């Protein structure tokens, strides 16, 4: 009987355990069902968010990527905005006499007892550090019914012509406006209105230098303009522009008596790019007007032409060449800047120039590149011109640059350059310029 009782007790215990196990399984199933319901609710929320992503800016203030590289869009705006620029520091040591300003100006290389009166400061050994090349700019792009509307606003701190605040006065270089324009790119062409590089320039054919001014035998001018450009595919791009005139007679500033601008400069340009590199040609027509406000007046047309290109001879090497000629183009050609137009009491006498620049550019690696370049400008100085200009004037200006640039890390590079120049007057006197320059460049 005792065995029977024991067996009954065991069976009862097993039954209770079975009931407990069934209860635990039911509770587990309930928990799984509850978790599944939570997951289904989360999935529904995710689908709702995905479906309404496009409406997020209407609810949240988000900044999104712009239509062009390096730009962003502000909330509620279709305009893409980009900021750019760099911090640039130059250091140089002159081994010969310096030029008229801190950057290279071939027309003012010092000559001892300079009979032209431009620069007789032949002291040697000048050292200088400067950050005035530093630059800041903003650009925008907005889609319109006609096409993309782009703007650009850019400053540097070159402070040309104003030397009031310099090192020694806890520094300050006044901002200088470089570019300020709007550009509409439509099916019928590209219309630009504002200030930027002159259409008479060929930047692709101008060798790279560490010196800010660079080659005096290549055109260099920024000014307000209205320009229309059209790309004809295989035939290249043609541009026609009316640009601001700047009459400078007898060395006087534009708009000062007796200078009087009566019409804009007219410039036509053509450019073609391809696997070979690029080639371009430009033509300029301008007019000088003399009016001393006392009854003496004169006017004379002036012109300039230019052709040049950059040609890829290997994947790493390019050859550059540029030729420019004309009369009355002194303000476009740095090496002719100091042979300004003159009035001899009867007629305006124009300075005539012929300039050539050649160069070789090589990219040794993705981070290291070098440039070798040479340029010369010849200025025609006849007796009638000298009668009004003075006893002597610049006749031949020659210069050369050799440099290397090393991008040692992202957005930063070092530069090293040797520059040489020679200025010769029509009377035979010469001056020589020699400089070693370094640069540190941080871009953003």
């Amino acid at each position: 009987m005792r065995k029977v009782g024991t067996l009954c007790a065991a069976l009862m215990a097993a039954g209770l355990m079975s009931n407990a196990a069934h209860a635990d399984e039911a509770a587990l199933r309930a928990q799984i069902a509850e978790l599944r319901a939570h997951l289904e609710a989360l999935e529904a929320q995710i689908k709702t968010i995905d479906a309404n992503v496009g409406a997020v800016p209407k609810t949240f203030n988000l900044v999104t990527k712009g239509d062009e590289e390096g730009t962003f869009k502000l909330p509620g705006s279709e305009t893409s905005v980009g900021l750019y620029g760099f911090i640039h520091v130059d250091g140089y040591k002159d081994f010969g006499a310096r030029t008229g300003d801190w950057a290279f100006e071939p027309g003012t290389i010092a000559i001892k007892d300079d009979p032209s009166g431009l620069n007789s400061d032949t002291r040697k050994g000048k050292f200088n550090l400067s950050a005035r090349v530093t630059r800041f700019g903003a650009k925008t792009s907005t889609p319109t019914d006609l096409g993309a509307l782009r703007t650009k606003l850019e400053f540097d701190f070159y402070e040309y012509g104003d030397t009031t605040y310099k090192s020694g006065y806890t520094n300050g270089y006044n901002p200088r406006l470089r570019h300020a324009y709007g550009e509409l790119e439509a099916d019928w062409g590209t219309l630009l209105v504002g200030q930027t590089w002159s259409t008479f320039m060929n930047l692709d054919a101008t060798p790279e230098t560490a010196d800010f001014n660079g080659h005096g035998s290549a055109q260099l001018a920024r000014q307000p303009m209205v320009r229309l450009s059209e790309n004809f595919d295989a035939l290249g791009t043609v541009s026609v522009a009316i640009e601001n005139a700047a009459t400078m007679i007898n060395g006087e500033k534009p708009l000062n008596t007796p200078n009087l601008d009566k019409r804009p400069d007219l410039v036509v340009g053509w450019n073609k790019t391809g696997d070979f590199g690029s080639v371009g040609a430009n033509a300029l027509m301008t007019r000088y007007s003399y009016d001393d406000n006392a009854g003496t007046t004169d006017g004379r047309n002036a012109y300039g032409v230019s052709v040049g290109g950059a040609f890829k001879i290997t994947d790493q090497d390019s050859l550059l060449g540029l030729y420019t000629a004309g009369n009355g183009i002194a303000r476009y050609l740095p090496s002719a800047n100091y042979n300004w137009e003159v009035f001899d009491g009867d007629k305006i006498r124009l300075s005539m120039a012929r300039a050539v620049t050649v160069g070789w550019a090589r990219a040794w690696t993705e981070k290291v590149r070098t440039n070798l370049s040479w340029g010369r400008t010849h200025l025609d100085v006849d007796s009638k011109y000298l009668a009004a200009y003075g006893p002597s004037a610049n006749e031949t200006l020659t210069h050369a640059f050799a440099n290397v640039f090393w991008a040692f890390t992202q957005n930063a590079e070092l530069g090293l350059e040797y520059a040489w120049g020679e200025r010769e007057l029509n009377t035979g006197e010469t001056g020589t310029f020699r400089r070693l320059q370094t640069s540190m460049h941080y871009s953003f």
Side-chain angles (χ1 to χ4, degrees):
M1 292 296 293
R2 184 176 297 175
K3 290 182 178 179
V4 172
T6 301
L7 179 61
C8 290
L11 290 173
M12 290 177 63
L16 291 171
M17 291 177 65
S18 176
N19 289 336
H22 283 297
D24 289 343
E25 182 180 352
L28 182 62
R29 287 180 178 177
Q31 291 177 1
I32 292 173
E34 185 178 356
L35 288 172
R36 184 175 295 169
H38 280 299
L39 287 173
E40 290 176 352
L42 288 173
E43 290 178 354
Q45 292 178 15
I46 291 172
K47 290 180 180 179
T48 301
I49 292 173
D50 289 342
N52 290 279
V53 165
V56 168
K58 299 177 182 178
T59 307
F60 304 98
N61 292 325
L62 295 182
V63 175
T64 59
K65 183 179 180 181
D67 295 332
E68 298 184 355
E69 189 68 26
T71 64
F72 59 91
K73 287 184 180 179
L74 296 176
S77 172
E78 290 299 317
T79 297
S80 300
V81 181
L83 303 177
Y84 67 93
F86 54 75
I87 297 170
H88 186 101
V89 181
D90 286 308
Y92 66 77
K93 175 70 173 179
D94 286 338
F95 299 102
R98 69 186 187 94
T99 61
D101 201 356
W102 69 278
F104 180 52
E105 291 189 27
T108 62
I109 296 174
I111 297 175
K112 185 175 176 59
D113 301 323
D114 184 359
S116 72
L118 288 176
N119 186 14
S120 59
D121 183 359
T122 57
R123 294 175 296 171
K124 299 179 180 180
K126 170 69 176 178
F127 169 82
N128 185 252
L129 285 171
S130 176
R132 72 183 76 183
V133 176
T134 296
R135 189 177 303 171
F136 180 78
K139 59 183 179 179
T140 71
S141 175
T142 307
T144 72
D145 294 338
L146 295 177
L149 175 62
R150 298 181 176 88
T151 67
K152 185 174 184 178
L153 180 65
E154 181 180 293
F155 297 87
D156 66 13
F157 301 88
Y158 187 63
E159 196 180 45
Y160 182 80
D162 184 351
T163 59
T164 303
Y165 301 103
K166 298 239 177 178
S167 296
Y169 297 92
T170 57
N171 224 326
Y173 295 103
N174 295 332
R176 177 184 66 160
L177 182 65
R178 289 172 56 87
H179 300 279
Y181 65 84
E183 184 178 48
L184 179 63
E185 185 177 345
D187 294 337
W188 38 262
T190 301
L191 177 65
L192 182 149
V193 180
Q195 176 173 303
T196 189
W197 296 115
S198 172
T199 313
F200 190 56
M201 293 179 59
N202 189 333
L203 290 172
D204 292 339
T206 304
E208 180 183 21
T209 64
D211 184 271
F212 184 67
N213 284 347
H215 278 277
S217 51
Q219 304 98 295
L220 183 66
R222 280 185 302 269
Q223 56 195 9
M225 68 186 68
V226 178
R227 180 169 67 202
L228 179 63
S229 303
E230 175 65 17
N231 186 351
F232 294 96
D233 297 325
L235 296 178
T237 300
V238 175
S239 301
V240 179
I242 54 173
E243 303 189 4
N244 186 60
T247 294
M248 291 185 288
I249 297 175
N250 296 340
E252 293 290 342
K253 295 179 180 180
L255 305 181
N256 285 5
T257 305
N259 300 329
L260 184 65
D261 298 318
K262 293 186 176 181
R263 67 189 190 196
D265 290 359
L266 175 64
V267 189
V268 178
W270 167 79
N271 178 264
K272 171 67 177 174
T273 61
D275 294 337
F276 67 92
S278 67
V279 63
N282 315 80
L284 160 75
M285 177 172 287
T286 184
R287 182 172 178 82
Y288 291 90
S289 299
Y290 181 96
D291 189 336
D292 65 358
N293 203 34
T296 303
T297 62
D298 190 36
R300 188 168 179 184
N301 293 328
Y303 70 91
V305 294
S306 178
V307 60
F311 306 96
K312 296 179 181 178
I313 54 176
T314 72
D315 291 338
Q316 296 175 288
D317 300 272
S318 296
L319 294 178
L320 295 81
L322 181 64
Y323 177 78
T324 305
N327 64 345
I329 61 172
R331 73 183 187 87
Y332 285 94
L333 197 64
S335 55
N337 273 347
Y338 294 89
N339 283 41
W340 49 73
E341 301 7 281
V342 294
F343 184 74
D344 64 6
D346 180 38
K347 293 183 178 180
I348 298 173
R349 303 293 178 181
L350 301 178
S351 170
M352 302 189 69
R354 299 188 301 275
V356 61
T357 300
V358 294
W360 167 54
R362 178 174 176 82
W364 297 92
T365 68
E366 291 184 355
K367 295 185 176 182
V368 179
R369 65 188 187 277
T370 59
N371 300 270
L372 294 175
S373 52
W374 175 91
R376 171 172 287 178
T377 300
H378 181 77
L379 303 165
D380 292 329
V381 182
D382 59 24
S383 58
K384 292 182 179 180
Y385 177 85
L386 288 173
Y389 181 86
S392 63
N394 294 338
E395 185 170 75
T396 303
L397 302 163
T398 310
H399 43 269
F401 297 87
N403 57 51
V404 57
F405 297 96
W406 173 37
F408 62 92
T409 189
Q410 184 177 357
N411 290 15
E413 71 175 25
L414 285 166
L416 178 65
E417 179 173 86
Y418 179 78
W420 171 89
E422 183 180 74
R423 170 183 169 226
E424 182 179 356
L425 303 179
N426 67 298
T427 48
E429 291 89 346
T430 61
T432 303
F433 167 85
R434 292 178 293 123
R435 171 177 290 179
L436 185 65
Q437 179 167 339
T438 61
S439 64
M440 175 67 81
H441 186 97
Y442 315 89
S443 61
F444 58 85

